[in-house]
Amino acid sequence: MSKILIVEDEESIADLEKDYLELSGFEVEIQNNGDDGLRDALEKDFDLLILDLMLPGIDGFEICKRVREVKNMPIIMVSAKKDDIDKIRGLGLGADDYMTKPFSPSELVARVKAHLSRYERLIGSNAQENDVVEIRGIKIDKTARRVWVNGEEKNFTTKEFDLLTFLAQNPNHVFTKEELFKKIWDMDSIGDIATVTVHIKKIREKIEFNTAKPQYIETIWGVGYRFKV
Ligand code: CA
């Protein structure tokens, strides 16, 4: 349930707005002066702010500016004077909407809903998607470091995962064991390149239907391996 803060010094207006919003399923709190309103807006967790312009204490201009500096939530500013609305727009304080009193409570509810859903969409589109590689039934989620083969999750050790991912991201490219060893184990080939062979074998056991006839990681005799697409 979305939580809304109303900062409004006219009690009858604040109560009316609260009633309508609560009927629409919102949770609503009221502050009737600028100082308490600013404190709550900054410290508490609200989804939307309905902010009157002329308030005892800190005014709506200042509250809007201060909230916008640190919080990403819709702010609807209301004022009794049309001139003030023009002034707010001119100041570019970052309010999302402006309403001149008197307005119908149902109009306010409609705007509240519209702004909340717009913010949800914005937040949704900013969410980072996982980096996924998908090739013929193999799905590698690089972000989560998980692998599925034909929909079934398989467990890989760190180096097996790195090796499979590297090959799958460079399909049809033949790599020598030395190249793979340098790439995945991140050191000059002093180590044992047989390690690569062992890891390829382990990976095949997890991804291939028949390890004797690999469909994914091919052995290029005398050269190395390639991930076939
Ligand atoms: Ca007022």
Side-chain angles (χ1 to χ4, degrees):
M1 190 197 307
S2 295
K3 283 178 70 180
I4 295 169
L5 174 64
I6 297 171
V7 185
E8 169 64 72
D9 58 320
E10 285 175 73
E11 200 179 325
S12 60
I13 292 177
D15 287 344
L16 185 66
E17 291 174 356
K18 184 171 191 274
D19 287 348
Y20 268 77
L21 289 164
E22 284 181 343
L23 281 172
S24 295
F26 296 107
E27 200 176 308
V28 182
E29 285 183 30
I30 296 172
Q31 285 298 350
N32 62 10
N33 67 79
D35 296 65
D36 291 338
L38 177 62
R39 187 201 59 224
D40 277 12
L42 292 178
E43 292 178 5
K44 292 189 182 177
D45 199 15
F46 289 102
D47 300 296
L48 183 141
L49 175 60
I50 297 171
L51 183 59
D52 183 33
L53 187 56
M54 299 311 292
L55 294 162
I58 303 170
D59 69 16
F61 292 113
E62 184 67 16
I63 294 174
C64 183
K65 196 168 110 229
R66 302 256 304 260
V67 170
R68 188 46 87 223
E69 281 169 1
V70 290
K71 290 234 173 174
N72 187 24
M73 66 170 163
I75 301 175
I76 299 177
M77 297 200 74
V78 299
S79 173
K81 284 192 279 182
K82 173 76 174 64
D83 291 354
D84 285 338
I85 300 292
D86 294 338
K87 192 175 164 193
I88 304 167
R89 286 182 194 276
L91 284 171
L93 295 173
D96 296 85
D97 207 350
Y98 315 90
M99 298 182 80
T100 312
K101 291 189 243 184
F103 47 78
S104 82
S106 51
E107 171 67 17
L108 176 69
V109 171
R111 293 202 194 186
V112 164
K113 285 180 179 171
H115 286 292
L116 285 171
S117 62
R118 188 170 63 84
Y119 265 66
E120 275 165 24
R121 283 201 306 278
L122 280 176
I123 290 164
S125 64
N126 284 341
Q128 292 215 330
E129 287 195 7
N130 283 11
D131 191 355
V132 172
V133 179
E134 272 190 285
I135 298 177
R136 289 193 294 121
I138 293 186
K139 179 178 165 185
I140 303 168
D141 185 331
K142 291 172 64 188
T143 316
R145 295 185 70 88
R146 296 170 74 183
V147 180
W148 290 262
V149 180
N150 296 318
E152 189 189 336
E153 186 167 9
K154 305 278 182 174
N155 291 313
F156 288 80
T157 65
T158 305
K159 292 300 179 194
E160 287 167 8
F161 180 90
D162 291 344
L163 184 54
L164 171 64
T165 304
F166 177 72
L167 288 168
Q169 281 188 304
N170 297 281
N172 292 331
H173 185 126
V174 180
F175 294 98
T176 65
K177 289 176 190 175
E178 287 81 4
E179 283 172 330
L180 292 171
F181 188 77
K182 276 186 190 174
K183 186 74 200 168
I184 305 303
W185 278 263
D186 198 24
M187 57 186 102
D188 291 326
S189 315
I190 302 163
D192 188 357
I193 60 164
T195 308
V196 176
T197 315
V198 172
H199 279 72
I200 292 286
K201 183 169 176 289
K202 292 265 174 63
I203 293 169
R204 279 177 174 158
E205 286 166 3
K206 294 170 192 181
I207 66 172
E208 298 287 355
F209 179 69
N210 179 355
T211 53
K213 290 182 182 174
Q215 299 297 305
Y216 295 105
I217 299 176
E218 284 183 307
T219 301
I220 309 300
W221 293 107
V223 187
Y225 301 100
R226 90 173 151 203
F227 196 100
K228 191 169 66 174
V229 175

